[in-house]
Amino acid sequence: MTNASKESFRFVVNGEPREVTNYPLSRLLDVLREDLELTGTKEGCGEGECGACSVLIDGRLVNSCLVPLAQVEGATVQTIEGVADGERLHRVQRAFVEHNGAQCGICTPGMVMAALELLAEHPTPTIEQIREGLAGNLCRCTGYIKIFEAVVAACQQTEGPR
Amino acid sequence: MNRFQLVQPLTVEAAMKALSAKGSVLRAGGVDLIDQQKEYLIAPTQLVDLRKVPGLAQVTAKPGHKLALGPMATLSAIASDAELRRLYPAIAEAAEAVATPQIRRLATLGGNLCQRPRCWYFRSEEFHCLKKGGDKCFAQEGENVWHALFENFPCAMVHPSTMALPLIAHDATIELVSASGKRSVSVESFFVKPEDKLSQETQLKPGEIITALHAPAHAGKSASLYVRLKHKQSFDWPLIELALWGRADGGKLADVRVALGAVAPIPLRAKALESALKGLALDPAALKAKVPVVRKGARALAHNGYKIGLLETTIARALDELVRRLKAA
């Protein structure tokens, strides 16, 4: 894809410092999945429309298919693998499980990442804020209602550290 | 896909130099750029990334000062600036309405202004349309449900820039720099009609870079707003969008600017409507009675006539809100 030579890039992924040697224009999505073997992040459309590849870069939700490797040098990246605390699911993940927020599961990692950012900005979002916060994540199975219910439930869960 | 490389200059001068190399294309947020490459609209050999050039991402809104926005400011930075929202609400509301949260984190103001049209014939490899050097605008007699109502010949695209509308309503200017020097143009005149130039939508010259956008200082007793009507409740291109700016004086609408989107190949200033509204009392009924003036010059295609009614309704609702905001100002 590029005639530039491979270079080394350093950034933090899910709390761990990582170094990746690849082309500067490699998609972060591919670097995560192939170089770092973090296959929880999914590829849907590959052009920024579906949100399946959503990750947090420095706490900000982006489509990793649109971000070249060179752009994350020195940044902190969080993927779906960094959401649970070991075997203990995050309250958003637990709510998706308990409220049938996932069917085929391809959109789910991106949905969870979007819900994390949404709840960081609006701890008790209105239904309109949930719709807008998840607007960049397409789901072809659920019809979204179960997903919205899961996000509402996640805000109401108060037990546990998160 | 063609082979291409990334360069990351650290100054505007270095960016201009890199951009002068054959096959070079500017990269800001890199959102529409990927689409254009995938659709074979462009095949650059070098992407000149502006992200490391300092000073291009400012959002500086202060009372009593002119507004300064950098072309690399992201739409989410623009949407979340509280002072900008207070003084130039139309600009913040428009930024918030574009695309999705993910895209607004990457997409830039400059990129929003310079993105290529979303007409499905233009974007499809299968159609060699007029804008791509072909001999036909397929939208004239084809599927034109989303297409232009005004100025829709020889090309019926609608201009995709939402951000142009509030900038025009706020009388903003664009600062440009190239090897031949600096110049400043109004946002309104930055865009060119297909009848004047088919191959591009702006008057940006080869090698030229946007360095800043400015709007006049907030005037007392003024207000602005942005509204869009869309098919879906979220993440959709507008069927109709508009930005409105007004200044009140002695209970009258002393000055007003109206910029319409999704209805023409350029972000369209509705000057006849502005003239009809100017000087009227701040009375919603009196103002709304003038809305049909906007129809003048409309030429509906086979499938987009519905936009005339939507446009009038959207303007009428926006005038209600403008009056409400002006009375509260």
Side-chain angles (χ1 to χ4, degrees), chain B residues 7-283:
Chain B
V7 291
Q8 296 187 296
L10 301 176
T11 63
V12 171
E13 291 68 32
M16 288 193 302
K17 191 159 183 293
L19 194 55
S20 67
K22 196 170 179 293
S24 288
V25 168
L26 270 190
R27 177 180 190 274
V31 178
D32 187 31
L33 191 63
I34 291 274
D35 283 350
Q36 289 180 40
Q37 288 178 276
K38 286 191 162 188
E39 288 151 354
Y40 301 101
L41 284 171
I42 53 169
T45 51
Q46 175 168 277
L47 303 185
V48 181
D49 189 352
L50 287 178
R51 295 178 64 89
K52 290 196 172 170
V53 179
L56 293 184
Q58 63 172 323
V59 178
T60 312
K62 284 186 211 149
H65 291 79
K66 66 180 181 180
L67 171 70
L69 296 172
M72 293 296 286
T74 63
L75 299 185
S76 69
I78 291 169
S80 61
D81 190 282
E83 203 59 1
L84 176 77
R85 185 172 292 263
R86 191 173 72 81
L87 300 170
Y88 303 89
I91 298 176
E93 289 164 10
E96 192 173 41
V98 175
T100 68
Q102 286 92 328
I103 289 173
R104 293 195 292 272
R105 295 291 195 206
L106 297 173
T108 63
L109 178 59
N112 185 273
L113 296 171
C114 296
Q115 65 187 306
R116 302 303 310 275
R118 261 38 186 215
C119 168
W120 41 39
Y121 296 112
F122 176 71
R123 291 278 172 163
S124 168
E125 216 190 324
E126 311 283 313
F127 293 89
H128 190 54
C129 78
L130 202 58
K131 269 191 89 62
K132 293 189 283 194
D135 56 9
K136 187 176 178 187
C137 170
F138 295 92
Q140 299 293 336
E141 293 179 352
E143 297 294 334
N144 49 38
V145 65
W146 316 122
H147 287 77
L149 273 181
F150 299 95
E151 317 262 5
N152 54 11
F153 188 84
C155 162
M157 63 170 269
V158 292
H159 199 278
S161 177
T162 286
M163 295 311 295
L165 305 174
L167 291 168
I168 290 171
H170 276 286
D171 202 17
T173 52
I174 299 186
E175 313 299 326
L176 302 162
V177 63
S178 68
S180 54
K182 294 180 179 179
R183 63 184 182 125
S184 173
V185 299
S186 68
V187 174
E188 185 185 355
S189 64
F190 181 63
F191 297 95
V192 296
K193 293 178 193 171
E195 66 178 88
D196 296 327
K197 191 159 200 174
L198 271 171
S199 60
Q200 64 182 68
E201 298 78 43
T202 69
Q203 53 154 297
L204 210 56
K205 295 173 184 163
E208 206 165 35
I209 296 176
I210 301 175
T211 52
L213 290 104
H214 293 114
H218 174 76
K221 280 280 172 196
S222 69
S224 75
L225 64 117
Y226 165 86
V227 282
R228 75 161 57 182
L229 219 64
K230 49 195 191 287
H231 213 133
K232 295 189 293 171
Q233 287 177 329
S234 59
F235 186 20
D236 205 358
W237 292 95
L239 300 169
I240 295 290
E241 59 180 340
L242 66 90
L244 206 50
W245 173 90
R247 184 171 57 80
D249 193 5
K252 290 191 168 136
L253 186 60
D255 202 359
V256 63
R257 274 190 298 274
V258 184
L260 308 176
V263 292
I266 53 168
L268 190 68
R269 194 161 161 204
K271 285 188 179 161
L273 179 62
E274 289 176 8
S275 304
L277 294 171
K278 218 171 280 184
L280 293 182
L282 277 186
D283 164 28

Side-chain angles (χ1 to χ4, degrees), chain A residues 29-50:
Chain A
L29 169 64
D30 298 325
V31 169
L32 291 171
R33 288 181 56 85
E34 292 166 19
D35 298 39
L36 300 177
E37 299 185 349
L38 295 169
T39 55
T41 303
K42 306 302 182 195
E43 174 160 15
C45 67
E47 52 191 38
E49 290 185 8
C50 78

Side-chain angles (χ1 to χ4, degrees), chain A residues 18-96:
Chain A
R18 305 298 293 256
E19 183 170 343
V20 170
T21 302
N22 211 328
Y23 298 109
L25 275 167
S26 303
R27 300 185 304 173
L28 176 61
L29 169 64
D30 298 325
V31 169
L32 291 171
R33 288 181 56 85
E34 292 166 19
D35 298 39
L36 300 177
E37 299 185 349
L38 295 169
T39 55
T41 303
K42 306 302 182 195
E43 174 160 15
C45 67
E47 52 191 38
E49 290 185 8
C50 78
C53 67
S54 298
V55 299
L56 299 177
I57 298 180
D58 294 331
R60 302 293 183 87
L61 188 72
V62 298
N63 295 308
S64 61
C65 72
L66 293 180
V67 177
L69 176 57
Q71 207 160 302
V72 293
E73 169 73 27
T76 296
V77 178
Q78 190 185 9
T79 70
I80 189 69
E81 287 87 351
V83 175
D85 179 10
E87 291 296 303
R88 185 180 157 77
L89 293 182
H90 187 280
R91 62 188 165 106
V92 169
Q93 293 172 303
R94 208 157 57 229
F96 269 71

Side-chain angles (χ1 to χ4, degrees), chain B residues 89-90 93 223-226 320-329:
Chain B
E93 289 164 10
S224 75
L225 64 117
Y226 165 86
D320 273 337
E321 179 62 14
L322 183 70
V323 169
R324 197 190 66 73
R325 290 186 186 192
L326 281 172
K327 285 183 174 169

